[in-house]
Amino acid sequence: MYDYRKLFDLTGKKALVVGAGSGIGEAAAHGLAAHGAHVLCGDLNLEGAQKVVDDIKNAGGSAEAIPFDMRDGAAVTKTFDGLADLDVLVSTPAINVRKELLNMSEEEFDRVMTLNLKGTFRLITAAGRNMKARGKGSIITFASIRALTVEPGQGVYAATKAGVLQMCRTLAAELGPHGVRVNAIGPGVVDTPLTAPIAANKDWYSAYANKSALGRWAKPHEMAGAVVYLASDAGSFATGTLTIVDGGWTAVDGRFTPPL
């Protein structure tokens, strides 16, 4: 009989979380470590990553910090050359330039594309090669509800997130026969450093909160459950998916409650 108590057990697994120094990446690192994984906390901000490592160790988990810049192709290749035994990859970093498309410069377009789309491509393909050779592994990227629905000023960001989702679906199809799963998570509005400029605007913050069915923003730790699910045996038959964690944002039609 299958031991259901081990559904979320990650004991003995090695996971790399890119962007682990803050926000959703930090929460993902904590979630994976809490379920037994040894977590490599990769970030440009090595000091931030080290603090997360210290917190994980203080909680009884296992982790180490590594410098990581997903914009540097050679550095990404070098890192993954030393990670032949990687079981889980979680890619979280993204940037946004909020501008109408007619006002977006090519430099701004390239900056968002280079990190969000090309950087993610580097990570998932490098991890995919290693996992294909081992015949197992789980790749998890963070897309967004913006992969499905947009608003003014989000065109380039939304395009990258839709691209991330489609790359994941394609890689899932290509690596499925080799025992490797590839999935994306689609958060709604999460209280992180990326969304801090919105949170500083009271009306904007409230409008986003009121759009969701739960009437609030998410906290980073609320994304960790989806990560652990997709990394563990609990998600062993999930691949090519977009797991939406948006408080009902994409389920609720419009921002107006009709008089009933």
Side-chain angles (χ1 to χ4, degrees), residues 123-142:
L123 293 185
I124 65 176
T125 54
R129 291 184 189 97
N130 289 357
M131 293 177 182
K132 178 181 178 180
R134 295 184 73 202
K136 61 179 181 177
S138 175
I139 295 171
I140 304 163
T141 69
F142 271 81

Side-chain angles (χ1 to χ4, degrees), residues 141-167:
T141 69
F142 271 81
S144 167
I145 59 170
R146 296 302 173 210
L148 304 176
T149 182
V150 301
E151 68 179 4
Q154 293 270 52
V156 178
Y157 178 82
T160 65
K161 292 304 184 177
V164 165
L165 173 58
Q166 293 299 77
M167 283 198 302

Side-chain angles (χ1 to χ4, degrees), residues 191 195 198-210 216-217 219:
D191 194 355
T195 56
I198 302 171
N201 183 315
K202 196 173 192 179
D203 291 339
W204 202 348
Y205 183 92
S206 296
Y208 274 14
N210 293 334
R216 63 178 177 85
W217 289 38
K219 297 296 184 183

Side-chain angles (χ1 to χ4, degrees), residues 20-237:
S22 64
I24 293 173
E26 177 180 358
H30 275 285
L32 293 168
H35 286 80
H38 174 70
V39 183
L40 304 176
C41 296
D43 206 289
L44 269 174
N45 178 6
L46 193 57
E47 183 178 346
Q50 186 59 53
K51 182 182 182 307
V52 174
V53 167
D54 293 342
D55 290 342
I56 287 173
K57 289 183 175 179
N58 288 337
S62 176
E64 60 186 287
I66 62 171
F68 204 102
D69 184 355
M70 61 195 288
R71 299 168 301 181
D72 186 337
V76 169
T77 298
K78 183 177 179 181
T79 297
F80 278 93
D81 282 347
L83 292 176
D85 57 346
L86 188 68
D87 297 292
V88 179
L89 168 70
V90 181
S91 174
T92 70
I95 58 173
N96 193 4
V97 175
R98 290 179 175 274
K99 280 188 176 181
E100 292 183 348
L101 284 174
L102 298 186
N103 297 324
M104 184 77 68
S105 71
E106 288 196 13
E107 185 277 328
E108 291 166 333
F109 177 93
D110 289 342
R111 182 152 47 93
V112 177
M113 284 285 176
T114 296
L115 179 70
N116 296 10
L117 193 57
K118 190 173 183 179
T120 300
F121 166 78
R122 288 190 180 110
L123 293 185
I124 65 176
T125 54
R129 291 184 189 97
N130 289 357
M131 293 177 182
K132 178 181 178 180
R134 295 184 73 202
K136 61 179 181 177
S138 175
I139 295 171
I140 304 163
T141 69
F142 271 81
S144 167
I145 59 170
R146 296 302 173 210
L148 304 176
T149 182
V150 301
E151 68 179 4
Q154 293 270 52
V156 178
Y157 178 82
T160 65
K161 292 304 184 177
V164 165
L165 173 58
Q166 293 299 77
M167 283 198 302
C168 284
R169 286 170 167 165
T170 303
L171 196 58
E174 294 171 352
L175 293 182
H178 304 281
V180 181
R181 297 182 294 110
V182 188
N183 293 284
I185 296 172
V189 182
V190 186
D191 194 355
T192 69
L194 181 67
T195 56
I198 302 171
N201 183 315
K202 196 173 192 179
D203 291 339
W204 202 348
Y205 183 92
S206 296
Y208 274 14
N210 293 334
K211 174 63 177 72
S212 76
L214 298 179
R216 63 178 177 85
W217 289 38
K219 297 296 184 183
H221 73 265
E222 294 179 293
M223 302 298 119
V227 172
V228 174
Y229 161 67
L230 292 170
S232 68
D233 284 348
S236 60
F237 204 61

